[in-house]
Amino acid sequence: MKINEIVIGGRKKRKSRDNRKHRTIQQDFFSSVSRDELTENNSARIQHLEDLILWDGSKGAMAAVGKLRQVEAQPHSITIKWDGRPAVIFGRNESGEFVLTDKSGFGAKGYDGRVTSAEELEQMLLARGKKDNATRSEFPAKMKGIWSKVESVIPADFRGYVLGDLLYFTSPPADDSGKLRFQPNTTEYAVDVNSVVGKQIQDSDVGIVVHKYIDTDGNIANVDVSRFQPGETLIMPPAVVTKAPGVDLPEVDELENYIKSKATAIDKMFAVPMELKMKDFGNILYTYINNSVKSGATGKYNLQHFMKWLESSKLSGAKQSRLAEYLQQNQQGFEATFQIITRLQQVKNAIIKALDDQDADIEAYTNGERGGEGYVIDKDVKLVNRAGFTAANMARNN
């Protein structure tokens, strides 16, 4: 993959809290993104390409086809999806105090987790630690150590918070092949030391990829990277694809025609009557897909398989019965929906492989094989091999 790398640029106890009336919004947001669940109204998450049908029916499926066409026509709209860990939230509160915490701390109800000193951060994390003293103290100490380095990129007049993932606590050394290697989570990255981003990594002490901005009122928006200032932390620039994968995809036309032919049945199924009390219908199908990934059954979707999963799901017996009856009545829409999801996954995986196989300044590996978390189109839709990266990630983080 050819890419174009862009350059981005012992305290007193906290005297004031952010306005409490906005805490509920932020707590709800972070309690939702801390688990692998997605709600129809949760626009903060980047959605899997094939999941668009779950939220918008045939319209969502057609949008997914449009994204596939865009891969060839506008490769510059695609970026690498960095796989970092842990998730962090940092910025300045309404009083201008610097805050560095995690999702649990930011949305905490029983204590003030929006700590304003390195010492408070360490103590907060230690309080949650495991019994093993070495494990218990290592991570909090690392977090304490990066406090001033992360603060260095936040201007004094900055207000609000940024949600991101740590990529490295210290700048990774170069190996004999001239690569900077680091593995913050499931994916290992190998970056050419002579590339633009490679030189930026070497000049930094900490690396963070940022995802969302949360203002002091709890409103969520995209991050304006121009607001950061030069410092010891590298706010990882996007790695933009500039060369189309060159995959011959005649099946996209066939898939579009299939969607059009099944649109009525699909939309009928997603128009669940209110009296059935299944406002979370899309989420149920999403959970089924994720459980199929965990069990190694990705792409093997059918109504019989769903019914077997349903019996072991956490849904109440009454809801299971209503859902089973409803899907029996809408079997055509169900089968069409998952036929589309399966075919979208197949085309998507072919694109991912082609992108992964291209020469690149940034290479990603999962379990020793080329390929990482995937790619993002237009900052809102992701191309991820669920049978590859997602399954490996679930296994690693369970």
Side-chain angles (χ1 to χ4, degrees), residues 27-83:
Q27 288 165 346
D28 288 346
F29 170 67
F30 284 104
S31 65
S32 67
V33 297
S34 64
R35 62 180 185 270
D36 193 19
E37 293 293 336
L38 175 65
T39 62
E40 294 180 63
N41 296 321
N42 188 3
S43 59
R45 289 188 65 91
I46 301 174
Q47 298 188 24
H48 286 281
L49 175 84
E50 63 272 24
D51 289 349
L52 297 180
I53 192 173
L54 302 180
W55 320 119
D56 291 309
S58 64
K59 182 180 178 182
M62 292 299 290
V65 168
K67 294 290 185 182
L68 290 177
R69 297 193 192 286
Q70 185 175 326
V71 169
E72 285 294 321
Q74 303 174 47
H76 57 275
S77 65
I78 308 169
T79 57
I80 287 178
K81 191 174 190 303
W82 295 100
D83 175 34

Side-chain angles (χ1 to χ4, degrees), residues 158-375:
F158 188 98
R159 295 294 182 273
Y161 309 94
V162 178
L163 167 64
D165 293 321
L166 273 165
L167 294 175
Y168 50 87
F169 283 93
T170 57
S171 182
D175 64 14
D176 294 339
S177 66
K179 301 285 187 181
L180 303 168
R181 295 184 183 273
F182 52 98
Q183 185 173 352
N185 195 17
T186 303
T187 298
E188 179 188 28
Y189 296 98
V191 182
D192 187 336
V193 295
N194 296 315
S195 65
V196 173
V197 74
K199 293 175 181 177
Q200 290 177 299
I201 291 173
Q202 293 174 88
D203 289 340
S204 67
D205 292 323
V206 179
I208 298 178
V209 56
V210 294
H211 305 304
K212 292 293 176 180
Y213 168 75
I214 308 108
D215 69 18
T216 54
D217 289 333
N219 300 307
I220 301 165
N222 289 326
V223 182
D224 179 2
V225 294
S226 68
R227 297 180 65 186
F228 298 108
Q229 64 188 14
E232 298 170 277
T233 293
L234 172 63
I235 303 301
M236 188 63 74
V240 181
V241 174
T242 57
K243 181 181 178 182
V247 178
D248 185 18
L249 301 174
E251 57 263 44
V252 174
D253 291 333
E254 297 173 9
L255 181 55
E256 181 175 3
N257 291 331
Y258 180 79
I259 294 169
K260 290 177 179 177
S261 70
K262 301 295 183 180
T264 299
I266 292 169
D267 294 336
K268 179 177 180 291
M269 181 185 71
F270 281 103
V272 183
M274 291 185 62
E275 59 267 24
L276 292 182
K277 299 179 181 179
M278 291 193 297
K279 291 177 65 176
D280 59 344
F281 181 68
N283 267 315
I284 293 171
L285 299 186
Y286 175 80
T287 303
Y288 163 64
I289 293 172
N290 273 346
N291 276 270
S292 297
V293 173
K294 290 179 182 178
S295 65
T298 306
K300 300 177 182 178
Y301 318 111
N302 57 58
L303 189 56
Q304 183 179 3
H305 184 261
F306 177 87
M307 293 301 183
K308 185 176 181 180
W309 167 81
L310 184 61
E311 293 176 358
S312 63
S313 73
K314 295 180 180 180
L315 298 178
S316 68
K319 193 167 186 175
Q320 287 186 29
S321 297
R322 292 198 306 273
L323 181 58
E325 182 179 356
Y326 182 72
L327 290 180
Q328 290 288 355
Q329 296 169 354
N330 289 274
Q331 185 169 353
Q332 185 180 5
F334 181 92
E335 299 292 356
T337 293
F338 280 93
Q339 175 68 224
I340 291 165
I341 288 173
T342 299
R343 291 168 70 173
L344 283 170
Q345 288 177 340
Q346 291 169 347
V347 176
K348 175 194 67 175
N349 290 343
I351 290 172
I352 292 170
K353 186 178 187 308
L355 291 172
D356 286 342
D357 287 346
Q358 292 181 5
D359 291 333
D361 292 333
I362 302 172
E363 297 175 353
Y365 296 84
T366 301
N367 292 332
E369 300 291 332
R370 277 293 295 271
E373 183 167 4
Y375 303 86

